[in-house]
Amino acid sequence: MDGEVRINPYLAGNFAPLRSEDDFELEVVGEIPAGLRGALFRTGPNPQFEPRDPNHHWFAGDGMVHGFYLADGKASYRNRYVRTPKWKLEHEAGRALFGTFGNPMTTDPAAMGQDSGVANTNIVWHAGKLLALEEGHMPTAMDPRSLETLGYAQAYKGRTTAHPKIDPKTGEMVWFAYAVGEAPFATGISYGVTDAKGEVVRRDDFQAPYCSMIHDFMVTENHVLFPVLPLTGSLERAMKGMPPFAWEPGKGSFVGVMRRDADVSTIRWFNTEACYVFHPLNAWEEEGKLVADVMRYDVAPLFPNADGSPGTKAAARLFRWTFDLTGASDAIKEEPLDDLDGEFPRVDPRAETLKHRHGWYAADPTASGTIKQCAIAHLDLKTGKRQLYALSGGDLTSEPVFVPRSETADEGDGWLTAVVWRAAENRSDLLIFEALDLEKGPIATAKVPRRVPFGFHGNWASF
C-alpha cells in the first residue's frame, strides 16, 4: 500500500535494541540450589544506533553480553556492550556507519575498510578466559565480573567461529573459520586448536567447494566435520545490491571429514541433498562410523533466495547423520529422531564429542513452521521419552543451558537454565529446572525488572 511504513521485525518487540547498561539484584522466587554457583553468560545482537540498512538483519547488531551471577541462593544481573572497534567508531560518530554484514553498498565512506566486527553470537569460558565470539573476527576477551571489554585475543591471528567445541577429556578448544581469504566471501576455511592452557597451537587453511555461511560444525574424539551447506556468500551479489548471503540449493550440501591429527589435505567430502543446519546437538564415533545429531532445515530460514526474492519460512527438526568411514559411498545417511520443531540444541558439556544420552532444546509444539520458541524440551535418546515444559501467554525462551551438579555426576544430572521473555509484562526471567524433570517446572525464578532482548547463545562458567 502507498504510504505504508514497513517495520523491520528485527527492530521491534523483544528483538528491539536495549541501549541501557544496568546492574540489578534480582528477586528470587523458589530456591536456587546451593551447588549452583557461577554465572550464566548470554549474548545477542543489539544495535547501538538505528541501522543504516533498511533491510537490516538480526544477525548484524552490536554484541551485548548479559551476565546472571548466582551464589548462596542469590542472583544478580549485569549487561554491557562488547566495545568492538566498530562499536567505538560509531560511538564516537554518534551514528551507525556500517551496512549489514559490512556491506560496502550501505557503509558510510568514513567507515569503508574499517573493522566491522560485532562479537554478538556466542560467549564461552575456556582456560580461565571469557571470550565473546562471532563468525568474521577474532574472539574478544571480556572481564567475567565487570564485563569490561579487554580487546581482541590476538593469538588467533584472524577470524574464528562462533561455535568452538571444548573436548571434555583434553580440555582443548577446537574451532574453525569460514570465508578465509583476501577478498570478502572467499572459499577458504581454517581449522584451529587452542590447548587447555589457552594457547593457540594449530591453524591450517583449506578450500571449500563454495563460500557458505558455516555457522557451526561437529567434533568427535578423533575427527572434525565441516558442513558446507547452500546458504552462500557472494561479493558479486552484494555489489549489485542483492543479498550478500542467500539460499542457493543448486550448490548442493557437503560435509568435509578429517581426523583431528591429520593434515587438511586428507579431508574427505561427503554429500546429501540441499538442506541447512545452524546447530548440531553433538557428534561421536561408533564402529567405523561418525554419527551427528543435528537440527536440520529443508531450506535456510531467515534469508532470501539468491535472486533476492523472499525465502521460505521453515522450522528445524532433530535428524541423525551417519558417515561410514569404511565404505566406498560418500553419501550421508539421514534419519529423523524427533517430530517436534526445535532449535538451539544442547548436551551436557561433559558429553561433547562423545556419545550422549540426553539433549535439550528450545521447541515449538504449535508447529508454526517458524522458529517460535514457546517450550523447552528434553529428549532421552536411550528410552525415546520426551519431556516438555510449555510456556503460555506469548512467552518465549532462549537457548537452554545445562549445568552439571558436579564434575563426577552422571550425564544429565544437574540443572537447566533458560532466560524467558514474559510477553504480557515485557520483561524477562531466568528459570532454573532440574534438568531431567522439566515437567515439574522451574525450581527457582530470578526476575529481571526489564526485558533481555532475544539473543543467540550462552554458556555457564564456574569461577
Side-chain angles (χ1 to χ4, degrees):
M1 293 173 56
D2 291 340
E4 182 178 359
V5 177
R6 178 184 178 274
I7 298 175
N8 188 316
Y10 301 132
L11 299 173
N14 199 41
F15 288 97
L18 171 79
R19 295 189 170 114
S20 66
E21 296 177 311
D22 302 297
D23 295 79
F24 299 122
E25 296 297 321
L26 304 183
E27 176 191 351
V28 176
V29 178
E31 186 173 344
I32 296 175
L36 194 55
R37 301 179 64 90
L40 172 68
F41 295 107
R42 291 200 53 78
T43 192
N46 205 85
Q48 181 183 188
F49 298 107
E50 188 69 18
R52 295 173 59 83
D53 194 330
N55 296 313
H56 168 77
H57 196 283
W58 185 34
F59 291 5
D62 298 292
M64 176 177 277
V65 175
H66 306 264
F68 294 84
Y69 299 85
L70 307 181
D72 303 320
K74 298 179 180 179
S76 62
Y77 166 89
R78 169 174 292 139
N79 71 302
R80 297 291 186 272
Y81 273 110
V82 186
R83 283 157 166 76
T84 61
K86 172 188 180 293
W87 187 93
K88 290 178 181 178
L89 194 66
E90 293 185 327
H91 191 73
E92 209 171 287
R95 60 189 175 89
L97 297 172
F98 292 85
T100 294
F101 303 124
N103 187 346
M105 296 296 290
T106 51
T107 292
D108 189 295
M112 199 67 72
Q114 298 295 311
D115 188 318
S116 62
V118 289
N120 69 5
T121 312
N122 201 358
I123 185 155
V124 302
W125 178 254
H126 179 250
K129 294 179 181 178
L130 186 65
L131 301 173
L133 307 173
E134 53 120 322
E135 298 173 11
H137 297 79
M138 288 182 287
T140 300
M142 303 191 74
D143 183 283
R145 297 192 182 276
S146 68
L147 296 185
E148 175 190 358
T149 301
L150 304 177
Y152 280 137
Q154 298 290 342
Y156 286 82
K157 299 180 181 177
R159 63 173 61 208
T160 59
T161 178
H163 280 290
K165 307 299 179 189
I166 298 174
D167 188 312
K169 289 187 174 182
T170 67
E172 290 176 315
M173 186 165 74
V174 183
W175 47 272
F176 75 102
Y178 70 88
V180 173
E182 294 296 325
F185 308 109
T187 58
I189 296 178
S190 292
Y191 168 60
V193 179
T194 303
D195 69 17
K197 296 178 182 178
E199 299 294 326
V200 177
V201 295
R202 179 174 181 179
R203 183 175 189 132
D204 293 318
D205 296 346
F206 62 95
Q207 296 300 309
Y210 53 84
C211 179
S212 164
M213 180 183 282
I214 309 174
H215 183 67
D216 203 345
F217 76 146
M218 296 84 85
V219 179
T220 69
E221 274 193 278
N222 298 296
H223 292 82
V224 60
L225 300 91
F226 304 97
V228 177
L229 309 175
L231 177 51
T232 65
S234 169
L235 178 61
E236 182 182 0
R237 259 200 321 256
M239 295 304 290
K240 293 178 179 177
M242 302 288 281
F245 284 102
W247 177 241
E248 202 171 358
K251 293 282 191 181
S253 293
F254 301 88
V255 177
V257 175
M258 182 186 81
R259 279 192 61 90
R260 284 166 56 176
D261 59 1
D263 187 84
V264 292
S265 64
T266 66
I267 292 174
R268 177 179 175 184
W269 291 99
F270 287 77
N271 61 81
T272 187
E273 63 186 28
C275 63
Y276 196 72
V277 172
F278 277 117
H279 304 113
L281 174 63
N282 195 27
W284 70 96
E285 300 173 9
E286 193 172 277
E287 299 176 350
K289 297 180 174 66
L290 303 182
V291 185
D293 291 348
V294 302
M295 281 291 182
R296 180 192 182 280
Y297 295 86
D298 288 337
V299 301
L302 308 178
F303 284 88
N305 297 312
D307 63 4
S309 61
T312 304
K313 290 183 177 180
R317 290 188 174 179
L318 194 63
F319 269 68
R320 177 161 292 172
W321 283 352
T322 302
F323 304 79
D324 187 350
L325 301 183
T326 62
S329 173
D330 291 333
I332 301 169
K333 179 185 176 183
E334 291 192 321
E335 54 184 317
L337 293 179
D338 196 10
D339 60 359
L340 185 64
D341 294 349
E343 247 301 353
F344 296 110
R346 297 295 294 262
V347 293
D348 183 329
R350 299 167 302 159
E352 283 198 354
T353 75
L354 308 171
K355 187 173 183 178
H356 62 275
R357 173 175 176 175
H358 300 285
W360 297 265
Y361 53 94
D364 181 8
T366 70
S368 67
T370 62
I371 306 173
K372 181 183 178 184
Q373 297 171 189
C374 54
I376 301 170
H378 165 241
L379 186 62
D380 184 329
L381 288 157
K382 183 177 180 180
T383 66
K385 181 183 178 183
R386 188 177 69 206
Q387 283 195 51
L388 202 65
Y389 177 76
L391 299 166
S392 59
D395 295 354
L396 297 170
T397 184
S398 67
E399 167 193 57
V401 176
F402 177 86
V403 184
R405 198 174 305 274
S406 70
E407 283 305 308
T408 57
D410 291 341
E411 183 205 341
D413 182 11
W415 303 285
L416 200 69
T417 64
V419 178
V420 168
W421 177 57
R422 302 300 192 186
E425 301 171 69
N426 196 29
R427 60 166 199 84
S428 298
D429 286 336
L430 170 65
L431 305 187
I432 300 168
F433 301 83
E434 289 287 348
L436 298 181
D437 194 5
L438 290 186
E439 291 174 350
K440 176 182 175 182
I443 58 174
T445 300
K447 305 180 78 169
V448 185
R450 57 147 172 76
R451 66 189 179 88
V452 176
F454 294 136
F456 299 133
H457 298 288
N459 283 289
W460 177 262
S462 297
F463 53 87

